[in-house]
Amino acid sequence: MGDKMSSNFELMKLLFDPKMESILQTIKTKGKTVKEIAEELNEKPSRLYYPIQKLVSTGLIQISEEKKKGNLIEKYYTSRHLFDDEEVMHVEGDLAIRNSDFLLSMILLSLNKGITMLRRDLDVESTPQELEKSRAMYTEYDASLTPSEWRQVNEEIRRIIRDRDNANNQEKTEYTFSILSYEKESKPAE
């Protein structure tokens, strides 16, 4: 158990380290060498070898390609497997299983932020005009869908958010959408 907690803590440190986040973002669409990553981040390559090895050891980045240049082998690193589009990070499969305690903690932390903000909005005696300025919103909706339709609806929600986020450059406020959808438990037979 201690080893798993240790690896969860290591993953948390990596995900919250600005340098690590920059590396992940730099290689999310295309595999790059340490030298290319360093150039993009205005960093010395020697300062990136250790962080990149830490990211590889946790599975957050992968070696996408190896090319022989003279006597050297150049490795190309990518985090493409974490992103289904250009903005949304997904931690799934073996990486999620190995770090499930950490991921569940991060989900609860994110949800708690939203619940706290919603509670603040609701605790104040608000006029209808003030309610229009709420900073948190909760919606729950039950739907009967096939598994394929369920996945498609989740993807459509992500696409709508992504499209709105990328639309025009007017002044905007940042919002977090924590989307959790799940199969409703069947009622036990009587």
Side-chain angles (χ1 to χ4, degrees), residues 6-71:
S6 168
S7 69
N8 287 333
F9 181 69
E10 287 299 315
L11 183 66
M12 182 175 70
K13 286 193 323 188
L14 291 175
L15 288 173
F16 287 106
D17 182 314
K19 181 185 276 187
M20 301 296 189
E21 184 181 356
S22 296
I23 293 169
L24 290 171
Q25 293 295 322
T26 300
I27 57 176
K28 71 181 181 181
T29 59
K30 179 183 174 197
K32 296 179 183 173
T33 64
V34 173
K35 184 179 177 188
E36 291 170 326
I37 297 167
E39 286 173 6
E40 196 164 322
L41 298 177
N42 293 320
E43 194 68 72
K44 293 179 181 174
S46 60
R47 296 188 62 153
L48 293 180
Y49 284 107
Y50 179 75
I52 287 173
Q53 290 313 307
K54 290 293 285 180
L55 290 167
V56 169
S57 70
T58 60
L60 288 171
I61 66 174
Q62 299 174 339
I63 298 170
S64 61
E65 187 178 359
E66 291 183 347
K67 290 183 182 176
K68 189 168 181 157
K69 282 207 170 182
N71 292 334

Side-chain angles (χ1 to χ4, degrees), residues 5-149:
M5 290 298 286
S6 168
S7 69
N8 287 333
F9 181 69
E10 287 299 315
L11 183 66
M12 182 175 70
K13 286 193 323 188
L14 291 175
L15 288 173
F16 287 106
D17 182 314
K19 181 185 276 187
M20 301 296 189
E21 184 181 356
S22 296
I23 293 169
L24 290 171
Q25 293 295 322
T26 300
I27 57 176
K28 71 181 181 181
T29 59
K30 179 183 174 197
K32 296 179 183 173
T33 64
V34 173
K35 184 179 177 188
E36 291 170 326
I37 297 167
E39 286 173 6
E40 196 164 322
L41 298 177
N42 293 320
E43 194 68 72
K44 293 179 181 174
S46 60
R47 296 188 62 153
L48 293 180
Y49 284 107
Y50 179 75
I52 287 173
Q53 290 313 307
K54 290 293 285 180
L55 290 167
V56 169
S57 70
T58 60
L60 288 171
I61 66 174
Q62 299 174 339
I63 298 170
S64 61
E65 187 178 359
E66 291 183 347
K67 290 183 182 176
K68 189 168 181 157
K69 282 207 170 182
N71 292 334
L72 300 174
I73 295 178
E74 275 191 328
K75 293 180 181 178
Y76 289 75
Y77 299 94
T78 185
S79 61
R80 188 177 311 131
H81 63 288
L82 298 177
F83 298 89
D84 70 346
D85 56 53
E86 295 203 11
E87 300 299 325
V88 182
M89 179 187 283
H90 292 278
V91 179
E92 299 173 331
D94 188 50
L95 180 62
I97 291 167
R98 284 192 325 248
N99 298 286
S100 60
D101 292 340
F102 166 73
L103 292 174
L104 291 172
S105 296
M106 295 311 299
I107 292 167
L108 289 173
L109 179 65
S110 178
L111 292 174
N112 190 49
K113 287 178 188 176
I115 291 168
T116 300
M117 193 169 284
L118 182 61
R119 182 182 301 130
R120 284 186 202 139
D121 285 351
L122 296 173
D123 282 347
V124 177
E125 290 187 30
S126 303
T127 66
Q129 293 81 13
E130 291 170 323
L131 286 174
E132 286 294 316
K133 297 177 185 175
S134 289
R135 298 176 309 145
M137 184 182 300
Y138 171 77
T139 304
E140 185 170 310
Y141 192 86
D142 291 337
S144 297
L145 305 168
T146 66
S148 174
E149 290 171 325

